[in-house]
Amino acid sequence: MAYTTYDVEKNQGYVANTAGSGSGEYTPDHKNLDKRNGSYQEPDGAVPGESFEYGTGIRAKLMRFAGKIGIEQRGIERVPEDERTETGFKALLNVATMWCSANMVVSSFALGLLGKSLFFLGVADAMLVILFFNIIGLAIVSLFSTFGPTFGLRQMVLSRFWFGWWGVKLIACFNIIACIGWSSVNSIVGAQLINTVNPHMPPWASILIIALCTLLVTIFGYKIVHIYEFWSWIPSFIIFLITVGVFGHSGDFVAIPWEMGKAEMGSVLSFGSVIFGFAIGWSSYAADYTVYQPSTQSKVKVFGWTFLGLFFPLIFTQMLGVAVMSATALNGGVNRYQDGYDASGTGGLLGAVLIYHLGGFGKFCLVMLALSIIANNCPNIYSVSLTVQVLGRWVQWVPRFVWTIIATGAYIGIAIAGYQHFETVLDNFMNFIGYWLAIYSSIGLTEHFVFKRGFKGYRPEFYDVPGMLPVGIAAIFAFCCGVIGMVAGMSQVWWVGWIALKAGEAPYGGDVGWELGAAFSMVAYLIARPIEKKFFPDRL
C-alpha cells in the first residue's frame, strides 16, 4: 500500500510513515508521531480516536479541550473497525429515527403546499407525485447510506473514488451551498411559525433561536446528533396528528380535481422535480450517519431502515400539506386559510387550523413545530463541517467543530435576508438541489455498478492518497454534460429550456432538468471513463 508522507504542521495533524520497504509499503511507526499536532495513520488508512489527544500545538490543544467536554474530535478521517460501536438493532433504529426526525418537520409540510400554490395541481395528482418521486430519490439516499458501514468513510470522502482528489472539491462546493441553503430555508419556515404566534417578534430573533439551538446539538457531533434525533420526531408527529384530527373534524377539506392535458403534464413534472429535489437532498451526506456501524452490518438492513426512516415522515407530512392547502380554495379563495397563508405563509396556514380551533394550545403546537426545524437542520450543519474538510489539507487541519460555528453564522445571515421571499426561494432552491444531486448520483452509481462492479472494487485505504484515486477528468466531463441536459430541461421563472417547453404548456412547459441531467451525465461517463482508465491504468 503506497502512502504519501504528510507534513503535519501544514496538513491535518497526523502522519503516515513511508519508511518501510523500498516498494513503498506502509508500516506504522510510533516514532514518526508528530510531537506538536500529529498522530499516525494505520495501514488501512484509519486514524485511531486516541491519536487526537497527542501533540502540543494549537490544533492538538483544541482537540484535547473538545474531548474533555464531549465534542467529537474526528473529522473526515476513516473510522477504525474497533471504534465502530453501533451494532445490532439499536444501530438500525438509530439511522431510521435520525432520518425520521430530520423529515418529520414543518419544512416537509411546507413542500406539499407548493402543489396548489405554485403548480395548480389537484389533491390526488399532487399526492401521487409525492409518492412516486419520493421513492426514486429516497432509494438513492438509502443505497449511499450502506457505504458508511462498509468503508467507515464520510459521503464526500467516498466521492473521491468517483470524482478524484481534485474533482470532488467541485462537488464539495455544491454541497456546502446546499447545506447552508437548506438550513436557511428551514429557518425561515420556523420563523414564519413563530411570527404567526407572536407577530411582534422580529424574524431575525426567531431565526437566531433556531440556529443557536441547532448549533448546540451539532457542535458535539455524531453521537449527540443521533441521540437528539432518536427522540425529536415524537412531539412533531403528535402535533401533526393533532393537525390531522382538527382539520379533518372541521370539514374544510376540498377535493380539488386534477386536470388533463399538456398543462397538467408540465405541472406534474415540475412539482415532481421539487419533491425529488427534497428527497435526494440527503444523498450527498447519507453515509455520514452510518460510519460508526461495523463493516459486517447487513447492507439490506441499512438500506431498508434508512428508506423507512425517510419515507414515512416525508409522505405523511407532504400529503398532509396538500390536504390542508386544499382549504384555501373554499369560497373562491376568500377564507381564513388563504388569509393566513398570505399573511405568514406556512405558519399562517397552520395557524388557521390550530390556533383557530385550539386557541392557546394551538399556539403552543406551532412553537413546537417551529423548534422541529432544529432536527431538520442538524444533518445539514453537521455534514457541512465535514464537507469543508474535503477542500484541502489545511482546511482539514481546522477542527470540525470550528467549521460548524462558521457555517451557522453564514446561514443565519442568509435566512434573515431571504425571509420576505420564502416561497420563491424554496421553489428555486429545491430545483437547484435536485439538478446537481441527480448528476452527482448518476455519476457515482455508474462508477459503482459498471466500473467498480460493486463494493469489492474499492480500495478504501487509499481514500487520502491523491496519486491512487481517479484523475477525475471523466467525472468532471460527465458533470458538465449533465449541466447541459439540466439547462435543456429546467423550467424556472428566469429560464425555460428548449426541451422543457415540449414537456408542458407554454410559457413554462414542464421541468425535466434532473432527468436529463442524470441521463446526459451517465452517457458521457460511460464514454469518458474507459478512456481515462486507458491513459491512467494505475489509478483506481
Side-chain angles (χ1 to χ4, degrees), residues 8 10 81 103 118 122 252 305 321 383 423 448-449 479 483:
V8 183
K10 296 179 181 177
E81 189 68 42
N103 291 281
L118 285 183
D252 291 336
W305 282 91
S383 286
E423 189 173 84
H448 178 73
F449 287 110
F479 194 91
V483 171

Side-chain angles (χ1 to χ4, degrees), residues 39-308:
S39 61
Y40 67 91
Q41 198 175 42
E42 294 179 343
D44 63 354
V47 178
E50 65 268 18
S51 66
F52 298 112
E53 300 291 330
Y54 300 148
T56 58
I58 296 176
R59 182 180 188 274
K61 291 177 180 178
L62 282 173
M63 286 294 198
R64 278 198 296 276
F65 174 75
K68 287 178 180 178
I69 61 175
I71 291 177
E72 181 187 16
Q73 297 161 303
R74 185 179 302 280
I76 60 171
E77 300 85 6
R78 190 182 186 194
V79 183
E81 189 68 42
D82 62 355
E83 293 183 25
R84 303 189 202 175
T85 55
E86 283 193 324
T87 58
F89 178 71
K90 179 65 181 297
L92 299 172
L93 197 58
N94 264 349
V95 70
T97 53
M98 204 216 77
W99 292 123
C100 185
S101 291
N103 291 281
M104 188 69 73
V105 293
V106 72
S107 300
S108 303
F109 174 88
L111 210 62
L113 311 185
L114 302 181
K116 178 181 181 295
S117 66
L118 285 183
F119 304 109
F120 308 104
L121 293 173
V123 171
D125 46 346
M127 288 186 176
L128 287 172
V129 168
I130 287 170
L131 175 63
F132 290 108
F133 281 86
N134 265 314
I135 289 174
I136 298 171
L138 298 183
I140 297 171
V141 179
S142 301
L143 176 62
F144 285 162
S145 291
T146 66
F147 283 70
T150 304
F151 302 122
L153 292 170
R154 313 285 186 166
Q155 187 69 39
M156 280 294 107
V157 179
L158 286 165
S159 302
R160 289 173 176 171
F161 292 101
W162 309 330
F163 288 84
W165 180 266
W166 296 103
V168 79
K169 298 180 191 300
L170 172 65
I171 302 304
C173 288
F174 279 113
N175 199 43
I176 291 168
I177 294 171
C179 290
I180 293 177
W182 269 120
S183 300
S184 303
V185 169
N186 295 337
S187 300
I188 291 172
V189 177
Q192 286 183 338
L193 286 175
I194 296 175
N195 178 259
T196 302
V197 176
N198 182 5
H200 301 293
M201 186 170 184
W204 63 264
S206 304
I207 291 169
L208 200 60
I209 291 171
I210 293 169
L212 292 179
C213 290
T214 303
L215 177 64
L216 188 63
V217 176
T218 54
I219 197 170
F220 286 95
Y222 184 95
K223 290 184 178 179
I224 301 302
V225 169
H226 270 289
I227 290 172
Y228 179 80
E229 303 281 22
F230 191 88
W231 301 105
S232 64
W233 67 275
I234 297 175
S236 299
F237 181 52
I238 292 172
I239 293 170
F240 279 125
L241 284 179
I242 292 171
T243 304
V244 171
V246 172
F247 182 71
H249 187 263
S250 71
D252 291 336
F253 171 76
V254 180
I256 303 172
W258 65 26
E259 302 294 335
M260 302 291 288
K262 201 172 182 180
E264 171 75 4
M265 179 179 71
S267 296
V268 165
L269 290 170
S270 295
F271 185 47
S273 181
V274 174
I275 295 297
F276 174 81
F278 193 97
I280 201 173
W282 304 113
S283 64
S284 56
Y285 32 97
D288 294 357
Y289 302 96
T290 53
V291 292
Y292 285 97
Q293 295 188 30
S295 58
T296 54
Q297 182 68 280
S298 168
K299 294 181 180 62
V300 174
K301 291 180 179 179
V302 172
F303 180 96
W305 282 91
T306 300
F307 188 88
L308 179 64

